[in-house]
Amino acid sequence: MEEFKYDDNETYEANFSTWFSMNTQERRLHKEEPYSEQIAKQVFNEMHGRKALNVEDQIGKFFIKEGESG
């Protein structure tokens, strides 16, 4: 079974969709009940929630770029 790799070139939502699909297939393969979407989002957020925050954009709001006046 293919392992999920977070793709930084895709949106957080697109990565979740890919992971959720892969996880559902894997759970069914192992005769396990697939996660509901709500539970899947909680699990995904625990693993990759920091990716939802675009840290560079947030940091940029706190610093004045060179050549700008504040």
Side-chain angles (χ1 to χ4, degrees), residues 23-40:
N23 182 267
T24 297
Q25 289 176 346
E26 182 177 2
R27 291 182 69 81
R28 286 183 176 149
L29 180 69
H30 294 286
K31 308 286 191 238
E32 298 175 0
E33 184 73 23
Y35 291 137
S36 68
E37 187 169 344
Q38 180 179 3
I39 297 297

Side-chain angles (χ1 to χ4, degrees), residues 7-48:
D7 184 350
D8 289 318
N9 295 316
E10 292 292 338
T11 65
Y12 187 77
E13 292 78 15
N15 275 285
F16 168 74
S17 181
T18 299
W19 174 85
F20 185 39
S21 176
M22 291 173 71
N23 182 267
T24 297
Q25 289 176 346
E26 182 177 2
R27 291 182 69 81
R28 286 183 176 149
L29 180 69
H30 294 286
K31 308 286 191 238
E32 298 175 0
E33 184 73 23
Y35 291 137
S36 68
E37 187 169 344
Q38 180 179 3
I39 297 297
K41 284 182 179 180
Q42 290 175 353
V43 171
F44 189 77
N45 285 339
E46 287 174 14
M47 294 187 298
H48 301 290

